[in-house]
Amino acid sequence: MTAYTATVTVRLKSGVLDPEATTTQRALERLGFELSDLRSADLFEIDLEAADAETAEERATEMAERLLANPTIHDYAVSVAER
């Protein structure tokens, strides 16, 4: 078994309201930053043991699909790196 870190990034789908990002964007603009858009995301780093990177990615994808992301309103991306 090899140690891996899987990173799962969960974002709201395009068209879903993101009040956290809207509030943050307005605050940044009041501070003088010019933005064309801002989106919020949740980032999960999962340390796990797996036989290979493909297996680690499959397990992290299953975690995303079963708990970390709601497929109705979220998109997600999974990446895996050896620890």
Side-chain angles (χ1 to χ4, degrees), residues 3-83:
Y4 293 95
T5 296
T7 302
V8 180
T9 305
V10 180
R11 291 184 182 88
L12 289 170
K13 288 184 176 184
S14 179
V16 176
L17 294 178
D18 189 348
E20 179 182 9
T22 301
T23 301
T24 304
Q25 181 173 349
R26 287 182 185 151
L28 287 169
E29 288 169 343
R30 280 193 304 271
L31 292 172
F33 295 99
E34 294 182 23
L35 308 172
S36 57
D37 196 18
L38 181 87
R39 290 163 304 286
S40 64
D42 291 324
L43 181 84
F44 300 92
E45 290 184 346
I46 306 162
D47 293 336
L48 62 139
E49 301 279 331
D52 54 40
E54 183 178 325
T55 302
E57 184 174 349
E58 288 171 0
R59 287 180 54 205
T61 298
E62 183 179 1
M63 291 177 203
E65 290 173 352
R66 293 184 62 189
L67 179 68
L68 302 177
N70 176 344
T72 304
I73 61 169
H74 293 127
D75 288 323
Y76 66 89
V78 177
S79 63
V80 174
E82 197 170 317
R83 247 188 309 150

